[in-house]
Structures are given as C-alpha cells and as structure tokens.
Amino acid sequence: MDRHPKPDELPPGLLVVVKDGGYLKWACFRCPGGCGEKLQLSLNPSRRPRWTVGLDWLRRPTLTPSVHQFNACRCHFVLKNGIVNWCRDSGRRGA
C-alpha cells in the first residue's frame, strides 16, 4: 500500500506495510492487547525507533524488535510468523 490505511481498512489481525517508491515506510496494525489502537511502526532504517518486517513462506509477518505499548493497554509482545507472543512484563494478555 502506498498510503496509511484508514481505520475501516485495518481490521484486527491484519498487518499492512506502507511503501513509498519501493521503500518500506510503516507497519500498521491494530493493537492485539485489547485496546484496538492503530499502531504505526516505522520501518525506515534512518529513524529511531525502527522495526523490521519479514514474511515466512506462508506470508505470515514477523516484526523485530518487540512492541511495547506505554498507553493504558500496557501490552508488550513479539509478532513472529503471524503469532502474538506475550512478554512477561505485558500488562495485558490479549483480548
């Protein structure tokens, strides 16, 4: 996708990668911790913080490093092969 998705284009469980001219810019998805907040993680290597995204052979996403929400949700997770793995210090364990 070449633009940020609108809220109705981002159902729970879907990760959208925003590209610009062939460069990966953002990973956008709904927080799996229950708050439903739209997360926008930078994939730009010159920004801090930044994440990397990869796909396995079934096209399931993996994000590195972990995602740690500091809002009311307080969730902390790793997304690997399309599966949310909760970290021990997560304040929420999913919806």
Side-chain angles (χ1 to χ4, degrees):
M1 182 173 271
D2 60 358
R3 61 176 173 73
H4 282 269
K6 296 176 184 173
D8 62 339
E9 297 174 320
L10 200 57
L14 178 69
L15 184 140
V16 174
V17 174
V18 178
K19 295 181 181 182
D20 183 17
Y23 294 99
L24 303 180
K25 300 294 261 183
W26 300 95
C28 302
F29 59 101
R30 297 268 180 206
C31 178
C35 69
E37 184 175 321
K38 178 182 171 184
L39 302 181
Q40 301 176 118
L41 306 179
S42 176
L43 303 175
N44 185 335
S46 63
R47 288 189 175 235
R48 302 288 185 270
R50 74 166 185 290
W51 285 260
T52 59
V53 65
L55 299 174
D56 68 6
W57 66 279
L58 293 174
R59 303 192 49 79
R60 296 175 301 190
T62 294
L63 278 173
T64 52
S66 67
V67 179
H68 197 172
Q69 285 284 84
F70 291 101
N71 63 3
C73 184
R74 308 285 306 161
C75 68
H76 187 190
F77 61 93
V78 174
L79 180 64
K80 184 170 183 178
N81 297 331
I83 297 171
V84 174
N85 296 294
W86 298 103
C87 298
R88 287 182 166 222
D89 65 343
S90 183
R92 190 122 188 196
R93 299 257 181 225

Coordinates of all heavy atoms in Angstrom, one line a residue:
M1 N 0.9 -1.2 0.0 CA 0.0 0.0 0.0 C 0.9 1.2 0.0 O 1.9 1.2 0.7 CB -0.9 -0.1 1.2 CG -1.9 1.1 1.3 SD -3.1 0.9 2.7 CE -4.3 0.0 1.9
D2 N 0.5 2.3 -0.7 CA 1.3 3.5 -0.8 C 0.8 4.6 0.1 O 1.2 5.8 -0.1 CB 1.5 3.9 -2.2 CG 0.1 4.2 -2.9 OD1 -0.9 4.1 -2.2 OD2 0.1 4.7 -4.1
R3 N -0.1 4.3 1.0 CA -0.6 5.3 2.0 C -1.0 4.6 3.3 O -1.1 3.4 3.3 CB -1.8 6.1 1.4 CG -2.9 5.1 1.1 CD -4.2 5.9 0.6 NE -5.2 4.9 0.2 CZ -5.9 4.2 1.0 NH1 -5.8 4.3 2.3 NH2 -6.8 3.4 0.5
H4 N -1.1 5.4 4.3 CA -1.6 4.8 5.6 C -3.0 4.4 5.4 O -3.8 5.1 4.8 CB -1.5 5.9 6.7 CG -0.1 6.1 7.2 ND1 0.4 5.3 8.2 CD2 0.9 6.9 6.8 CE1 1.7 5.7 8.4 NE2 2.0 6.6 7.6
P5 N -3.3 3.2 5.9 CA -4.7 2.7 5.8 C -5.7 3.5 6.7 O -5.3 4.0 7.8 CB -4.6 1.3 6.3 CG -3.4 1.2 7.1 CD -2.5 2.2 6.6
K6 N -6.9 3.7 6.2 CA -7.9 4.3 7.0 C -8.4 3.3 8.1 O -8.2 2.1 7.9 CB -9.1 4.7 6.1 CG -8.8 5.7 5.1 CD -9.9 6.0 4.2 CE -9.6 6.9 3.1 NZ -10.6 7.1 2.1
P7 N -9.0 3.7 9.2 CA -9.4 2.8 10.2 C -10.3 1.6 9.7 O -10.1 0.5 10.2 CB -10.2 3.7 11.2 CG -9.6 5.0 11.0 CD -9.2 5.1 9.6
D8 N -11.2 1.9 8.8 CA -12.0 0.8 8.3 C -11.3 -0.2 7.4 O -11.8 -1.2 7.0 CB -13.3 1.3 7.6 CG -13.0 2.2 6.4 OD1 -11.9 2.7 6.3 OD2 -13.9 2.4 5.6
E9 N -10.1 0.2 7.0 CA -9.2 -0.7 6.1 C -8.3 -1.5 7.0 O -7.4 -2.2 6.4 CB -8.4 0.2 5.1 CG -9.2 0.9 4.1 CD -8.4 1.9 3.3 OE1 -7.4 2.5 3.8 OE2 -8.7 2.0 2.1
L10 N -8.4 -1.4 8.3 CA -7.4 -2.1 9.1 C -8.2 -2.9 10.2 O -8.2 -2.6 11.4 CB -6.6 -1.0 9.8 CG -5.2 -1.5 10.4 CD1 -4.3 -2.1 9.3 CD2 -4.5 -0.3 11.0
P11 N -8.7 -4.1 9.8 CA -9.4 -4.9 10.7 C -8.4 -5.6 11.7 O -7.2 -5.7 11.3 CB -10.1 -6.0 9.8 CG -9.3 -6.0 8.6 CD -8.7 -4.6 8.4
P12 N -8.8 -6.0 12.8 CA -7.9 -6.8 13.8 C -7.3 -8.0 13.1 O -8.0 -8.7 12.3 CB -8.9 -7.2 14.9 CG -10.0 -6.2 14.8 CD -10.2 -5.9 13.4
G13 N -6.0 -8.2 13.3 CA -5.3 -9.4 12.8 C -4.7 -9.1 11.4 O -4.0 -10.0 10.9
L14 N -4.8 -7.9 10.9 CA -4.2 -7.6 9.6 C -3.1 -6.6 9.8 O -3.2 -5.6 10.4 CB -5.2 -7.0 8.6 CG -4.7 -6.6 7.2 CD1 -4.4 -7.9 6.4 CD2 -5.8 -5.8 6.5
L15 N -1.9 -6.9 9.2 CA -0.8 -6.0 9.2 C -0.6 -5.5 7.8 O -0.5 -6.3 6.8 CB 0.5 -6.7 9.7 CG 1.7 -5.8 9.8 CD1 2.5 -6.2 11.0 CD2 2.6 -5.9 8.6
V16 N -0.6 -4.2 7.7 CA -0.4 -3.5 6.4 C 1.0 -2.8 6.3 O 1.3 -2.1 7.3 CB -1.5 -2.5 6.1 CG1 -1.3 -1.7 4.9 CG2 -2.9 -3.2 6.1
V17 N 1.7 -3.0 5.3 CA 3.0 -2.4 5.1 C 2.8 -1.2 4.1 O 2.3 -1.4 3.0 CB 4.1 -3.3 4.6 CG1 5.4 -2.6 4.3 CG2 4.4 -4.4 5.7
V18 N 3.2 0.0 4.5 CA 3.1 1.2 3.7 C 4.4 1.4 3.0 O 5.5 1.4 3.7 CB 2.7 2.4 4.5 CG1 2.6 3.7 3.6 CG2 1.4 2.2 5.2
K19 N 4.4 1.5 1.7 CA 5.6 1.7 0.9 C 5.6 3.0 0.2 O 4.5 3.6 0.0 CB 5.7 0.6 -0.2 CG 5.9 -0.8 0.3 CD 6.0 -1.7 -0.8 CE 6.2 -3.2 -0.4 NZ 6.4 -4.1 -1.5
D20 N 6.8 3.6 -0.1 CA 6.9 4.8 -0.8 C 8.0 4.6 -1.8 O 9.2 4.5 -1.4 CB 7.2 6.0 0.1 CG 7.2 7.3 -0.6 OD1 6.8 7.4 -1.8 OD2 7.7 8.3 0.0
G21 N 7.7 4.5 -3.1 CA 8.7 4.3 -4.1 C 9.5 3.1 -3.9 O 10.7 3.1 -4.2
G22 N 8.9 2.0 -3.5 CA 9.6 0.8 -3.3 C 10.3 0.6 -1.9 O 10.8 -0.4 -1.6
Y23 N 10.3 1.7 -1.1 CA 10.9 1.6 0.2 C 9.8 1.3 1.2 O 8.7 1.9 1.2 CB 11.6 3.0 0.6 CG 12.8 3.3 -0.3 CD1 12.7 4.1 -1.4 CD2 14.0 2.7 0.0 CE1 13.7 4.4 -2.2 CE2 15.1 2.9 -0.8 CZ 15.0 3.8 -1.9 OH 16.0 4.0 -2.7
L24 N 10.1 0.4 2.2 CA 9.2 0.2 3.3 C 9.2 1.3 4.2 O 10.3 1.7 4.7 CB 9.6 -1.1 4.0 CG 9.7 -2.4 3.1 CD1 10.1 -3.6 4.0 CD2 8.4 -2.7 2.4
K25 N 8.0 1.9 4.6 CA 8.0 3.0 5.5 C 7.4 2.7 6.8 O 7.9 3.1 7.8 CB 7.2 4.1 4.8 CG 7.7 4.6 3.5 CD 9.0 5.3 3.6 CE 8.9 6.8 3.6 NZ 10.1 7.5 3.7
W26 N 6.2 2.0 6.8 CA 5.5 1.8 8.1 C 4.8 0.5 8.1 O 4.4 -0.1 7.1 CB 4.3 2.9 8.2 CG 4.8 4.3 8.2 CD1 4.9 5.1 7.2 CD2 5.2 5.0 9.4 NE1 5.3 6.3 7.6 CE2 5.6 6.3 8.9 CE3 5.4 4.7 10.7 CZ2 6.0 7.3 9.8 CZ3 5.8 5.7 11.6 CH2 6.2 6.9 11.1
A27 N 4.7 -0.1 9.3 CA 3.9 -1.3 9.5 C 2.7 -0.8 10.4 O 2.9 -0.2 11.4 CB 4.7 -2.4 10.3
C28 N 1.5 -1.0 9.9 CA 0.3 -0.6 10.5 C -0.6 -1.7 10.9 O -0.8 -2.6 10.0 CB -0.5 0.4 9.6 SG 0.5 1.8 9.1
F29 N -1.1 -1.8 12.1 CA -2.0 -2.8 12.5 C -2.7 -2.4 13.8 O -2.3 -1.4 14.5 CB -1.3 -4.2 12.7 CG -0.1 -4.2 13.7 CD1 -0.3 -4.7 15.0 CD2 1.1 -3.6 13.3 CE1 0.8 -4.7 15.9 CE2 2.2 -3.6 14.2 CZ 2.0 -4.1 15.5
R30 N -3.7 -3.1 14.2 CA -4.4 -2.9 15.4 C -3.7 -3.6 16.6 O -3.2 -4.7 16.5 CB -5.8 -3.4 15.4 CG -6.7 -2.7 14.3 CD -7.4 -1.6 14.9 NE -8.2 -0.9 13.9 CZ -8.5 0.3 13.9 NH1 -8.2 1.1 14.9 NH2 -9.2 0.9 12.9
C31 N -3.6 -2.9 17.7 CA -3.0 -3.5 18.9 C -3.7 -4.7 19.3 O -5.0 -4.7 19.4 CB -3.0 -2.5 20.0 SG -2.3 -3.1 21.6
P32 N -3.0 -5.8 19.5 CA -3.7 -7.1 19.8 C -4.0 -7.2 21.3 O -4.6 -8.2 21.8 CB -2.6 -8.2 19.4 CG -1.3 -7.5 19.6 CD -1.6 -6.0 19.2
G33 N -3.6 -6.2 22.1 CA -3.8 -6.2 23.5 C -5.2 -5.9 24.0 O -5.4 -5.9 25.2
G34 N -6.1 -5.6 23.1 CA -7.5 -5.4 23.6 C -7.9 -3.9 23.4 O -9.1 -3.7 23.3
C35 N -7.0 -3.0 23.3 CA -7.4 -1.6 23.2 C -7.8 -1.2 21.8 O -8.5 -0.3 21.6 CB -6.3 -0.6 23.7 SG -4.8 -0.6 22.6
G36 N -7.3 -2.0 20.8 CA -7.6 -1.7 19.4 C -7.0 -0.5 18.8 O -7.3 -0.1 17.7
E37 N -6.1 0.1 19.5 CA -5.4 1.3 19.0 C -4.6 1.0 17.7 O -4.1 -0.1 17.6 CB -4.4 1.8 20.0 CG -3.7 3.1 19.6 CD -2.8 3.6 20.7 OE1 -3.2 3.6 21.9 OE2 -1.7 4.1 20.4
K38 N -4.6 1.9 16.7 CA -3.9 1.7 15.5 C -2.4 1.9 15.8 O -2.0 3.0 16.2 CB -4.4 2.6 14.4 CG -3.6 2.5 13.1 CD -4.2 3.6 12.1 CE -3.3 3.6 10.9 NZ -3.8 4.7 10.0
L39 N -1.6 0.9 15.6 CA -0.1 1.1 15.7 C 0.5 1.4 14.4 O 0.1 0.7 13.4 CB 0.4 -0.2 16.3 CG -0.1 -0.6 17.7 CD1 0.6 -1.9 18.2 CD2 0.0 0.4 18.7
Q40 N 1.4 2.3 14.4 CA 2.2 2.7 13.2 C 3.6 2.6 13.6 O 4.1 3.5 14.3 CB 1.8 4.1 12.7 CG 0.3 4.2 12.4 CD -0.1 5.6 12.0 OE1 -0.5 5.8 10.9 NE2 0.0 6.5 12.9
L41 N 4.3 1.6 13.1 CA 5.7 1.4 13.5 C 6.6 1.7 12.3 O 6.4 1.2 11.2 CB 6.0 -0.1 13.9 CG 5.1 -0.6 15.0 CD1 5.4 -2.1 15.3 CD2 5.2 0.2 16.3
S42 N 7.6 2.6 12.5 CA 8.5 3.0 11.4 C 9.4 1.8 11.0 O 10.0 1.1 11.8 CB 9.4 4.1 11.9 OG 10.3 4.5 10.9
L43 N 9.5 1.6 9.7 CA 10.4 0.7 9.1 C 11.6 1.4 8.4 O 12.4 0.7 7.8 CB 9.6 -0.2 8.0 CG 8.4 -0.9 8.5 CD1 7.7 -1.6 7.4 CD2 8.7 -1.9 9.6
N44 N 11.6 2.7 8.5 CA 12.7 3.5 7.9 C 14.0 3.3 8.7 O 14.1 3.6 9.9 CB 12.3 4.9 8.0 CG 13.3 5.8 7.3 OD1 14.4 5.5 7.2 ND2 12.8 7.0 6.9
P45 N 15.1 2.7 8.1 CA 16.3 2.4 8.8 C 17.0 3.6 9.4 O 17.8 3.5 10.2 CB 17.2 1.7 7.7 CG 16.5 2.0 6.4 CD 15.1 2.4 6.7
S46 N 16.7 4.9 8.9 CA 17.3 6.1 9.4 C 16.6 6.7 10.6 O 17.0 7.7 11.2 CB 17.5 7.1 8.3 OG 16.3 7.5 7.9
R47 N 15.4 6.1 11.0 CA 14.7 6.6 12.1 C 14.9 5.7 13.4 O 15.2 4.6 13.3 CB 13.2 6.6 11.8 CG 12.8 7.6 10.8 CD 11.3 7.6 10.8 NE 10.9 8.7 9.9 CZ 10.0 9.7 10.3 NH1 9.5 9.7 11.5 NH2 9.7 10.6 9.4
R48 N 14.7 6.3 14.5 CA 14.7 5.6 15.8 C 13.5 6.0 16.6 O 13.2 7.1 16.7 CB 16.0 6.0 16.6 CG 17.3 5.8 15.9 CD 17.6 4.3 15.8 NE 18.9 4.0 15.3 CZ 19.1 3.8 14.0 NH1 18.2 3.9 13.1 NH2 20.4 3.5 13.6
P49 N 12.7 5.1 17.2 CA 12.9 3.6 17.0 C 12.5 3.2 15.6 O 11.7 3.9 14.9 CB 12.0 3.0 18.1 CG 10.9 4.0 18.2 CD 11.6 5.4 18.0
R50 N 12.9 2.0 15.2 CA 12.5 1.4 14.0 C 12.4 -0.1 14.1 O 13.0 -0.7 15.0 CB 13.5 1.7 12.9 CG 14.8 0.9 13.0 CD 15.6 1.0 11.7 NE 16.8 0.2 11.7 CZ 17.8 0.4 12.5 NH1 17.9 1.4 13.4 NH2 18.9 -0.4 12.4
W51 N 11.6 -0.7 13.3 CA 11.4 -2.1 13.3 C 11.7 -2.7 11.9 O 11.8 -1.9 10.9 CB 9.9 -2.4 13.6 CG 9.5 -2.2 15.0 CD1 9.4 -3.2 16.0 CD2 9.3 -1.0 15.7 NE1 9.1 -2.6 17.2 CE2 9.0 -1.3 17.0 CE3 9.3 0.3 15.3 CZ2 8.7 -0.3 18.0 CZ3 9.0 1.3 16.2 CH2 8.7 1.0 17.6
T52 N 11.8 -4.0 11.8 CA 11.9 -4.7 10.5 C 10.8 -5.6 10.4 O 10.3 -6.2 11.4 CB 13.3 -5.4 10.4 OG1 13.4 -6.4 11.4 CG2 14.5 -4.5 10.4
V53 N 10.3 -5.9 9.2 CA 9.3 -6.8 9.0 C 9.7 -7.8 7.9 O 10.4 -7.4 7.0 CB 8.0 -6.1 8.6 CG1 8.1 -5.4 7.2 CG2 6.8 -7.0 8.6
G54 N 9.3 -9.0 8.2 CA 9.6 -10.1 7.2 C 8.4 -11.0 7.1 O 7.5 -11.0 8.0
L55 N 8.4 -11.8 6.1 CA 7.3 -12.8 5.8 C 7.9 -14.2 5.7 O 8.9 -14.3 5.1 CB 6.5 -12.4 4.6 CG 5.9 -11.1 4.5 CD1 5.3 -10.8 3.1 CD2 4.8 -10.9 5.5
D56 N 7.2 -15.1 6.3 CA 7.6 -16.5 6.1 C 7.0 -17.0 4.8 O 6.3 -16.3 4.1 CB 7.3 -17.4 7.3 CG 5.8 -17.6 7.5 OD1 5.0 -17.2 6.7 OD2 5.4 -18.2 8.6
W57 N 7.2 -18.3 4.5 CA 6.7 -18.8 3.2 C 5.2 -18.9 3.1 O 4.7 -18.9 2.0 CB 7.4 -20.2 3.0 CG 6.9 -21.3 3.9 CD1 7.4 -21.5 5.2 CD2 5.9 -22.2 3.7 NE1 6.7 -22.5 5.7 CE2 5.8 -23.0 4.9 CE3 5.1 -22.5 2.6 CZ2 4.9 -24.1 5.0 CZ3 4.2 -23.6 2.8 CH2 4.1 -24.3 3.9
L58 N 4.5 -18.7 4.2 CA 3.0 -18.6 4.2 C 2.6 -17.2 4.3 O 1.4 -16.9 4.4 CB 2.4 -19.4 5.4 CG 2.6 -20.9 5.4 CD1 2.1 -21.5 6.7 CD2 1.9 -21.5 4.2
R59 N 3.5 -16.3 4.1 CA 3.3 -14.8 4.1 C 2.8 -14.3 5.5 O 2.0 -13.3 5.5 CB 2.3 -14.4 3.0 CG 2.9 -14.8 1.6 CD 2.2 -14.2 0.4 NE 2.0 -12.8 0.4 CZ 2.9 -11.9 0.2 NH1 4.1 -12.2 -0.1 NH2 2.6 -10.6 0.1
R60 N 3.2 -15.0 6.5 CA 2.9 -14.5 7.9 C 4.0 -13.6 8.4 O 5.1 -13.9 8.2 CB 2.7 -15.7 8.9 CG 1.6 -16.6 8.5 CD 1.6 -17.9 9.4 NE 2.9 -18.6 9.2 CZ 3.1 -19.8 9.7 NH1 2.2 -20.4 10.4 NH2 4.3 -20.4 9.6
P61 N 3.6 -12.4 9.0 CA 4.6 -11.4 9.3 C 5.3 -11.7 10.6 O 4.8 -12.3 11.5 CB 3.8 -10.1 9.5 CG 2.4 -10.6 9.9 CD 2.2 -12.0 9.2
T62 N 6.6 -11.3 10.6 CA 7.4 -11.2 11.8 C 7.9 -9.8 11.9 O 8.5 -9.2 11.0 CB 8.6 -12.2 11.7 OG1 8.1 -13.5 11.7 CG2 9.6 -12.1 12.9
L63 N 7.8 -9.2 13.1 CA 8.3 -7.9 13.4 C 9.4 -8.0 14.5 O 9.3 -8.8 15.4 CB 7.2 -7.0 14.1 CG 6.2 -6.3 13.2 CD1 5.2 -5.7 14.0 CD2 6.9 -5.3 12.3
T64 N 10.5 -7.3 14.3 CA 11.6 -7.2 15.3 C 12.0 -5.7 15.4 O 12.0 -5.0 14.4 CB 12.8 -8.0 14.9 OG1 13.2 -7.7 13.6 CG2 12.5 -9.5 15.0
P65 N 12.3 -5.2 16.6 CA 12.2 -5.9 17.9 C 10.7 -6.0 18.4 O 9.8 -5.8 17.6 CB 13.0 -5.0 18.8 CG 12.8 -3.6 18.2 CD 12.7 -3.9 16.7
S66 N 10.6 -6.2 19.7 CA 9.2 -6.4 20.3 C 8.5 -5.0 20.2 O 9.1 -4.0 20.0 CB 9.4 -6.8 21.7 OG 10.0 -5.8 22.5
V67 N 7.2 -5.0 20.5 CA 6.4 -3.8 20.5 C 5.9 -3.7 22.0 O 5.4 -4.6 22.5 CB 5.2 -4.0 19.6 CG1 4.3 -2.8 19.7 CG2 5.6 -4.2 18.1
H68 N 6.2 -2.5 22.5 CA 5.8 -2.3 23.9 C 5.0 -1.0 24.0 O 5.5 0.1 23.7 CB 7.1 -2.1 24.8 CG 6.8 -2.2 26.2 ND1 7.9 -2.2 27.1 CD2 5.7 -2.3 27.0 CE1 7.4 -2.3 28.4 NE2 6.1 -2.4 28.3
Q69 N 3.7 -1.2 24.3 CA 2.8 -0.1 24.4 C 2.9 0.6 25.8 O 2.8 -0.1 26.8 CB 1.3 -0.6 24.2 CG 1.0 -0.9 22.8 CD 0.8 0.4 22.0 OE1 1.7 1.0 21.5 NE2 -0.5 0.8 21.9
F70 N 2.9 1.9 25.8 CA 3.0 2.6 27.1 C 1.7 3.3 27.4 O 1.7 4.2 28.3 CB 4.2 3.5 27.1 CG 5.5 2.8 27.2 CD1 6.3 2.6 26.0 CD2 6.0 2.2 28.4 CE1 7.5 1.9 26.1 CE2 7.2 1.5 28.4 CZ 7.9 1.4 27.2
N71 N 0.7 3.0 26.7 CA -0.6 3.7 26.9 C -1.4 2.8 28.0 O -0.8 2.0 28.7 CB -1.5 3.7 25.6 CG -1.8 2.4 25.0 OD1 -1.5 1.3 25.6 ND2 -2.4 2.4 23.9
A72 N -2.7 3.0 28.1 CA -3.4 2.3 29.2 C -3.4 0.8 28.9 O -3.5 0.0 29.9 CB -4.9 2.8 29.2
C73 N -3.2 0.3 27.7 CA -3.1 -1.1 27.4 C -1.9 -1.8 28.0 O -2.1 -2.9 28.5 CB -3.1 -1.2 25.9 SG -3.1 -2.9 25.2
R74 N -0.8 -1.1 28.0 CA 0.5 -1.6 28.7 C 0.9 -3.0 28.1 O 1.6 -3.7 28.8 CB 0.3 -1.7 30.2 CG -0.1 -0.4 30.9 CD 0.8 0.7 31.0 NE 2.1 0.3 31.6 CZ 3.2 0.9 31.5 NH1 3.2 2.0 30.8 NH2 4.3 0.5 32.1
C75 N 0.6 -3.3 26.9 CA 1.0 -4.7 26.4 C 2.4 -4.6 25.8 O 2.8 -3.6 25.4 CB 0.0 -5.2 25.4 SG -0.1 -4.3 23.9
H76 N 3.0 -5.8 25.9 CA 4.4 -5.9 25.3 C 4.4 -7.3 24.7 O 4.1 -8.3 25.3 CB 5.4 -5.9 26.5 CG 6.8 -5.9 26.0 ND1 7.8 -6.0 26.9 CD2 7.4 -5.7 24.8 CE1 9.0 -6.0 26.3 NE2 8.7 -5.8 25.0
F77 N 4.7 -7.3 23.4 CA 4.6 -8.6 22.6 C 5.6 -8.6 21.5 O 6.2 -7.6 21.1 CB 3.2 -8.8 22.1 CG 2.8 -7.7 21.1 CD1 3.0 -7.8 19.7 CD2 2.2 -6.5 21.5 CE1 2.6 -6.8 18.8 CE2 1.8 -5.5 20.7 CZ 2.0 -5.7 19.3
V78 N 5.9 -9.8 21.0 CA 6.7 -10.1 19.8 C 5.7 -10.7 18.8 O 4.9 -11.6 19.2 CB 7.8 -11.1 20.1 CG1 8.6 -11.5 18.9 CG2 8.8 -10.4 21.2
L79 N 5.8 -10.3 17.6 CA 5.0 -10.9 16.5 C 5.9 -11.7 15.7 O 6.8 -11.2 15.0 CB 4.3 -9.8 15.6 CG 3.5 -10.3 14.5 CD1 2.3 -11.0 15.0 CD2 3.0 -9.1 13.6
K80 N 5.7 -13.0 15.7 CA 6.6 -14.0 15.0 C 5.7 -14.9 14.2 O 4.9 -15.6 14.8 CB 7.5 -14.7 15.9 CG 8.5 -15.6 15.2 CD 9.5 -16.2 16.1 CE 10.5 -17.0 15.2 NZ 11.6 -17.5 16.0
N81 N 5.9 -15.0 12.9 CA 5.2 -15.9 12.0 C 3.7 -15.7 12.2 O 2.9 -16.7 12.1 CB 5.6 -17.3 12.1 CG 7.1 -17.5 11.8 OD1 7.6 -16.8 11.0 ND2 7.7 -18.5 12.4
G82 N 3.2 -14.4 12.3 CA 1.8 -14.1 12.4 C 1.2 -14.4 13.8 O 0.0 -14.2 14.0
I83 N 2.0 -14.8 14.8 CA 1.5 -15.2 16.1 C 2.0 -14.2 17.1 O 3.2 -13.9 17.1 CB 1.9 -16.6 16.5 CG1 1.3 -17.6 15.5 CG2 1.5 -16.9 17.9 CD1 1.8 -19.0 15.7
V84 N 1.1 -13.7 18.0 CA 1.5 -12.8 19.0 C 2.0 -13.6 20.2 O 1.3 -14.4 20.7 CB 0.3 -11.9 19.5 CG1 0.6 -11.0 20.7 CG2 -0.2 -11.0 18.3
N85 N 3.2 -13.3 20.6 CA 3.8 -13.9 21.8 C 4.0 -12.8 22.9 O 4.7 -11.9 22.6 CB 5.2 -14.5 21.4 CG 5.1 -15.6 20.4 OD1 4.5 -16.7 20.7 ND2 5.6 -15.4 19.2
W86 N 3.3 -13.0 24.0 CA 3.3 -12.0 25.0 C 4.5 -12.1 25.9 O 5.0 -13.2 26.2 CB 2.0 -12.2 25.9 CG 0.8 -12.0 25.1 CD1 0.0 -13.0 24.7 CD2 0.3 -10.8 24.7 NE1 -1.1 -12.4 24.0 CE2 -0.9 -11.1 24.0 CE3 0.6 -9.4 24.8 CZ2 -1.7 -10.1 23.3 CZ3 -0.1 -8.5 24.2 CH2 -1.3 -8.8 23.5
C87 N 5.1 -10.9 26.2 CA 6.3 -10.8 27.0 C 5.8 -10.8 28.5 O 4.7 -10.5 28.8 CB 7.1 -9.5 26.7 SG 7.7 -9.5 25.0
R88 N 6.7 -11.3 29.4 CA 6.4 -11.4 30.8 C 5.9 -10.1 31.4 O 5.1 -10.1 32.3 CB 7.6 -11.9 31.6 CG 7.8 -13.4 31.3 CD 9.0 -13.9 32.2 NE 9.0 -15.3 32.2 CZ 9.2 -16.1 33.2 NH1 9.5 -15.5 34.3 NH2 9.1 -17.4 33.1
D89 N 6.5 -9.0 31.0 CA 6.1 -7.7 31.6 C 4.9 -7.1 31.0 O 4.6 -5.9 31.2 CB 7.3 -6.8 31.6 CG 7.7 -6.4 30.2 OD1 7.3 -7.1 29.2 OD2 8.4 -5.4 30.0
S90 N 4.2 -7.8 30.1 CA 3.0 -7.3 29.5 C 1.9 -7.0 30.5 O 1.6 -7.9 31.3 CB 2.5 -8.2 28.4 OG 1.4 -7.6 27.7
G91 N 1.2 -5.9 30.4 CA 0.1 -5.6 31.3 C -1.2 -6.2 30.9 O -2.1 -6.3 31.6
R92 N -1.2 -6.7 29.7 CA -2.4 -7.3 29.1 C -2.1 -8.5 28.3 O -1.1 -8.5 27.6 CB -3.1 -6.3 28.2 CG -4.4 -6.6 27.8 CD -5.4 -5.6 28.2 NE -6.7 -6.0 28.0 CZ -7.7 -5.2 27.9 NH1 -7.6 -3.9 28.2 NH2 -8.9 -5.7 27.7
R93 N -2.9 -9.5 28.4 CA -2.6 -10.8 27.6 C -3.6 -11.1 26.5 O -4.0 -12.2 26.3 CB -2.6 -12.0 28.6 CG -1.6 -11.8 29.7 CD -0.4 -12.7 29.4 NE 0.6 -12.6 30.5 CZ 1.8 -12.5 30.2 NH1 2.3 -12.5 29.0 NH2 2.7 -12.4 31.2
G94 N -4.0 -10.0 25.8 CA -4.8 -10.2 24.6 C -6.3 -10.0 24.9 O -6.7 -9.9 26.1
A95 N -7.0 -9.9 23.9 CA -8.5 -9.6 24.0 C -9.2 -10.9 24.1 O -8.8 -12.0 23.7 CB -8.9 -8.9 22.8

